Amino acid sequence: MREDHRDQQTSRLVFDGDLGLLRDRTVAVIGYGNQGRAQAIVLRDNGIRVIVGNIRDHYWDRAVKDGFEVYNIGDAVRRADIALLLLPDEIAPGVYRESIEPLINNRRGFILCFASGYNIAYGFIKPPQGVDVIMVAPRMIGWGILERHRQGRGYPVLIGVAQDSSGMALEYAKAIAKGIGAIGLPGGVAVISSFEEEALLDLLSESTWSPMLIAAMEAYFDVVTENFGVSPEAAILELYASGELAEIGRAMAEIGFYEQLKLQSRTSQFLHLTRARNFYKIARRIVEREALKIWSGKITREWSPDLASGRVILERLLRIAMRSRMAEYEDRLYRALGRR
Ligand code: NDP
């Protein structure tokens, strides 16, 4: 049983794709932001014809400066065979309805590629029959994609197919994963996944362990500075400003979650492992509750492209966070250290 499970997992890993599938095609990168710029540059370096679709703003100018032909979004889609939709997820449905959908309704063989599962998984975008709908979702920020490209290294992506009109959709996803420098290189891997699975994984991280870390750090800061007279500078350096946490994260990625523990002192290992056991039950309850909210779609009642209230709440919470004691002391410390 265990072995079967492992075999299944292994067969979902893909290490290469056929770039030949993208030759003689025009790829429109829609949105020249974090992902758009990085993916466009790497695709072009890999010999693919790339054009950019963007609104007329400084991103447009940047794309021109980088040597791309830039069009408004509709014109780029009209000129392309493949569109990579690299807009913020909450913006994409509106742009899609206005500038993309009317142009691809009768375009059999057109390929629409997403970098996240969100809009297809929750039905905010419903592409027409006849087009391939695929996902190539990097597990890497845009800057990291360019950095690895310079070093000749790959990175992980999740790939998936929501609509396979050509019968070749998964092969196109692999080809795009190779074109954007994720696979076909050391360190690169594509995991065959789905739009629903990608949305669950992504939103669940953002709803559970990552905010738990923020809450734990804020509580730590408040307790040591308010109850024990610790200097805010020492607390912030201990928490994240020293860069030790970033190094631990790097070691986790490179040598493994548990192996990196061995690089720490015995005291540290003892405290990590005993305390993690204590926290597990409560953490699991939270993860299960949030996973159900995401899987059932309830999450979109709090945050979705149609909800103006979500944005209002976000702006308010950001203002409060920026005025918090920790943010205030962080600003002073970072100025003293010459980081600001
Ligand atoms: P960005 O926030 O960097 O923006 C992308 C582009 O969208 C910019 O060119 C931006 O131009 C444009 N844009 C914003 N608003 C509008 C609008 N109203 N009309 C038309 N264009 C607009 O996005 P990301 O690169 O972060 O995200 C793109 C996709 O990649 C998303 O699906 C995301 O989930 C996915 N992704 C992102 C990762 C990341 O590291 N950021 C990692 C993996 C996947 P301007 O701002 O000038 O308006």
Side-chain angles (χ1 to χ4, degrees):
M1 183 71 187
R2 182 171 271 262
E3 284 307 313
D4 285 347
H5 178 67
R6 280 198 189 150
D7 286 348
Q8 234 178 23
Q9 293 296 318
T10 314
S11 66
R12 289 176 64 182
L13 304 184
V14 176
F15 296 95
D16 212 349
D18 177 10
L19 268 189
L21 292 173
L22 307 181
R23 301 250 185 261
D24 306 321
R25 309 262 179 141
T26 299
V27 176
V29 167
I30 307 299
Y32 201 71
N34 288 317
Q35 285 292 320
R37 178 167 190 262
Q39 295 194 20
I41 289 173
V42 181
L43 278 163
R44 182 176 62 186
D45 286 355
N46 281 327
I48 310 303
R49 178 171 153 69
V50 180
I51 59 175
V52 171
N54 209 81
I55 46 177
R56 257 200 186 275
D57 60 6
H58 62 285
Y59 282 96
W60 172 299
D61 299 338
R62 188 153 199 212
V64 171
K65 216 168 141 203
D66 288 339
F68 287 103
E69 283 171 39
V70 191
Y71 302 94
N72 69 45
I73 292 173
D75 284 343
V77 170
R78 226 177 257 119
R79 287 174 156 81
D81 309 291
I82 300 169
L84 309 190
L85 210 57
L86 298 172
L87 302 164
D89 291 331
E90 72 281 10
I91 302 287
V95 174
Y96 174 80
R97 268 191 299 274
E98 238 176 68
S99 310
I100 301 176
E101 191 171 36
L103 301 174
I104 62 170
N105 261 328
N106 293 313
R107 285 195 59 190
R108 287 195 75 77
F110 193 83
I111 300 168
L112 198 55
C113 179
F114 292 78
S116 82
Y118 186 85
N119 281 309
I120 294 290
Y122 291 123
F124 294 118
I125 293 180
K126 293 195 175 86
Q129 298 288 317
V131 307
D132 281 357
V133 182
I134 60 177
M135 176 186 75
V136 180
R139 266 33 209 163
M140 187 59 60
I141 56 175
W143 181 85
I145 291 177
L146 287 174
E147 183 70 7
R148 275 159 186 75
H149 177 54
R150 277 190 281 272
Q151 298 165 344
R153 288 168 53 213
Y155 54 90
V157 282
L158 296 191
I159 58 175
V161 172
Q163 199 164 282
D164 187 3
S165 303
S166 66
M168 290 285 288
L170 187 61
E171 297 310 311
Y172 285 122
K174 292 180 197 171
I176 291 170
K178 179 157 180 158
I180 64 170
I183 58 174
L185 292 167
V189 62
V191 183
I192 300 178
S193 177
S194 66
F195 284 71
E196 289 74 17
E197 195 175 278
E198 198 279 339
L200 173 70
L201 292 173
D202 195 38
L203 298 175
L204 193 57
S205 289
E206 290 157 359
S207 305
T208 58
W209 63 264
S210 191
M212 281 185 214
L213 188 64
I214 292 184
M217 285 195 178
E218 286 174 339
Y220 177 108
F221 177 82
D222 289 343
V223 169
V224 296
T225 56
E226 289 168 11
N227 302 6
F228 295 91
V230 170
S231 77
E233 294 79 6
I236 291 170
L237 282 164
E238 171 68 24
L239 281 168
Y240 56 88
S242 67
E244 191 184 7
L245 180 64
E247 288 304 326
I248 291 171
R250 200 191 315 275
M252 274 184 195
E254 277 169 18
I255 62 171
F257 195 82
Y258 296 103
E259 282 300 313
Q260 64 78 29
L261 268 182
K262 296 182 192 160
L263 303 178
Q264 300 183 30
S265 70
R266 274 189 211 287
T267 311
S268 169
Q269 292 177 34
F270 174 81
L271 291 174
H272 271 89
L273 293 174
T274 51
R275 271 39 178 192
R277 282 299 95 205
N278 297 343
F279 293 138
Y280 180 82
K281 250 190 180 167
I282 182 162
R284 181 162 179 140
R285 250 202 326 270
I286 294 169
V287 172
E288 282 177 345
R289 190 189 66 206
E290 295 296 325
L292 280 177
K293 264 199 217 169
I294 294 165
W295 197 246
S296 67
K298 257 192 190 163
I299 184 95
T300 60
R301 287 187 211 155
E302 280 180 67
W303 178 257
S304 82
D306 308 324
L307 279 185
S309 61
R311 283 201 183 200
V312 174
I313 293 170
L314 171 62
E315 275 160 27
R316 181 167 168 271
L317 292 176
L318 272 174
R319 274 198 308 274
I320 293 171
M322 293 305 185
R323 287 200 309 257
S324 68
R325 270 183 73 242
M326 194 159 103
E328 191 187 307
Y329 281 108
E330 178 198 274
D331 192 47
R332 278 192 219 172
L333 175 65
Y334 277 37
R335 281 178 199 284
L337 296 175
R339 294 183 191 170
R340 280 186 191 153

